[in-house]
Amino acid sequence: METLSLPLDHAGKLQIPRHLADELGAGPDGELSLRVTPEGILLRPSLHQARKVYIEPTGKCNFNCRTCIRHAWEETPGAMSEATFRRVLEGVAAFRPRPSVFFGGFGEPLTHPRIVEMVQAAKNVATRVELITNGVLLEAETARGLIAAGLDTLWVSLDGASPESFADVRQSESLREILENIKRYREAYRQTRGGTADIGAVFVAMRRNIHELPKLLEMSSKIGISRYMVTNVLPYTPEMCQEVLYHRAIERVAWQASPWHPHVSLPEMDLNQATREALFQAWNTRPGVMFKKHDQCPFIEQRSVSIRWDGGVSPCLALLHSHESYLFEKKRNVSAWVIGNVDETPLPDLWNLPEYRAFRERVEQFDFAPCTYCASCEMAEANQEDCFGNTFPACGGCLWAQGVIQCP
């Protein structure tokens, strides 16, 4: 972490070193975002500078997980065409500075027949490229292809440390195979590119599997995982409402015990009989710092945009597909907001649409009704409007903005 002393000129203007301004994407006539917080002043890239592009290469998946959004939508999934992907990359290349690319969304990227080529093409125009997978298709040839294509970070979804727990959530008895695939990827990376592969794991925490978290952390050194992201389950079905761990959420936690231990990010989560032992075991082995973060959309904070497999562009993953979910056991209909399609309009033009710019400004202020705490009126049953007078899309019931749900 770099610490600098920034001088003021005679007019009281802050003098920012050129290399720092470049890193923040501010050209000679550019702008930065400055936020005053209780902890100090936060200097960020401009709100209207795209820094990350989520690409959903496919809506298809080879698993049938209990937690999946597919239990709550009526969509026919497909795969991104070569022409659509080319237009996405043209848009990425047009941004200055160029953003990063993340292959994910709500399908399994490795089911796309051209995913290795897509990663390589993205690497040619993006600052960095990441991908998330359930890991079962991460076979030797695919692993070598992704490494050769220049993939910077590989994320693997791991919702259990034992075959039984993993199978219970994922409806697949493939944990041992996935762990072997991760180890093979790590070794192939060492042999071909040298150094250590950047591999992260995403764990969806529920009542039925939270006891597995300490064991999963212990596995990190054996299989090469360098970071963990823990998220709560977003219940898409009544059954999953019984699995939530955040009715009275504690402060969000992130810690890094030492350079030899993986970084772990926890969401807002209750400290109760279901979670206490697992969380304390984790803290005892990797003590860290607690902090609270509410009413901040992570997608706006990272200046990201999300692109569906069919080319539809949305502000975030949460608005990528229309679906049903549950907010404190109350059914909530979430309507997708598709700003436009890259097959019809270039991505930078969509990013700079007045209504999209206004939406980013509105979400950064986050003057929405507190539906995630209240959820007592019928307006909380959808994202169409709220009792503060906000119109579609109303984000007061979004659990991402409260640190309850998180993704890489």
Side-chain angles (χ1 to χ4, degrees), residues 29-67:
D29 298 318
E31 63 179 29
L32 297 174
S33 172
L34 188 147
R35 175 185 295 165
V36 179
T37 72
E39 292 78 26
I41 294 176
L42 183 63
L43 193 63
R44 300 289 312 283
S46 168
L47 179 62
H48 302 302
Q49 180 186 104
R51 303 284 287 187
K52 185 173 185 177
V53 178
Y54 285 96
I55 300 176
E56 182 183 68
T58 178
K60 302 176 181 179
C61 189
N62 54 336
F63 275 11
N64 184 33
C65 305
R66 293 180 180 275
T67 57

Side-chain angles (χ1 to χ4, degrees), residues 62-298:
N62 54 336
F63 275 11
N64 184 33
C65 305
R66 293 180 180 275
T67 57
C68 188
I69 193 175
R70 283 171 183 74
H71 300 300
W73 72 13
E74 297 179 359
E75 295 195 15
T76 301
M80 185 173 284
S81 69
E82 186 174 351
T84 297
F85 182 64
R86 183 172 61 251
R87 293 186 178 96
V88 171
L89 292 192
E90 289 171 355
V92 172
F95 286 120
R96 291 291 183 275
R98 292 184 178 182
S100 64
V101 163
F102 189 102
F103 288 99
F106 294 98
E108 167 51 48
L110 297 190
T111 64
H112 196 292
R114 297 183 57 253
I115 189 60
V116 172
E117 299 171 43
M118 295 170 81
V119 169
Q120 185 172 25
K123 184 64 177 177
N124 290 335
V125 300
T127 56
R128 61 180 286 108
V129 179
E130 303 180 52
L131 178 145
I132 188 168
T133 175
N134 58 39
V136 75
L137 297 178
L138 190 66
E139 299 167 343
E141 183 179 354
T142 301
R144 289 194 297 267
L146 292 173
I147 293 168
L151 183 67
D152 293 289
T153 302
L154 174 73
W155 290 91
V156 183
S157 297
L158 291 174
D159 297 333
S162 65
E164 297 77 18
S165 181
F166 184 89
D168 176 52
V169 177
R170 291 282 173 172
Q171 309 293 287
S172 171
E173 297 180 357
S174 54
L175 178 61
R176 290 188 177 91
E177 178 184 353
I178 292 169
L179 297 180
E180 287 301 316
N181 287 346
I182 296 172
K183 289 190 285 186
R184 185 191 301 116
Y185 179 92
R186 177 188 62 177
E187 181 59 22
Y189 188 99
R190 185 190 66 80
Q191 292 179 359
T192 58
R193 291 173 62 175
T196 304
D198 188 17
I199 305 173
V202 178
F203 178 85
V204 179
M206 296 173 278
R207 286 184 177 274
R208 67 195 316 131
N209 72 347
I210 186 63
H211 64 280
E212 296 269 291
L213 180 58
K215 184 178 179 181
L216 191 64
L217 297 179
E218 292 175 2
M219 293 166 48
S220 59
S221 60
K222 299 178 182 178
I223 60 178
I225 293 175
S226 56
R227 63 179 84 185
Y228 284 89
M229 176 165 283
V230 181
T231 180
N232 285 290
V233 65
L234 179 56
Y236 295 114
T237 63
E239 175 196 7
M240 287 294 100
C241 291
Q242 309 307 313
E243 297 290 337
V244 301
L245 300 170
Y246 49 83
H247 281 103
R248 294 179 300 160
I250 64 170
E251 293 182 336
R252 189 178 174 194
V253 179
W255 70 84
Q256 187 169 8
S258 76
W260 300 277
H261 285 126
H263 177 272
V264 184
S265 176
L266 283 180
E268 300 262 355
M269 190 179 295
D270 293 346
L271 186 61
N272 56 25
Q273 186 175 357
T275 64
R276 185 178 292 107
E277 182 176 354
L279 293 179
F280 281 178
Q281 284 185 36
W283 285 328
N284 287 336
T285 57
R286 295 174 177 88
V289 178
M290 302 179 69
F291 62 93
K292 183 174 288 186
K293 195 173 185 180
H294 296 303
D295 295 342
Q296 290 186 21
C297 170

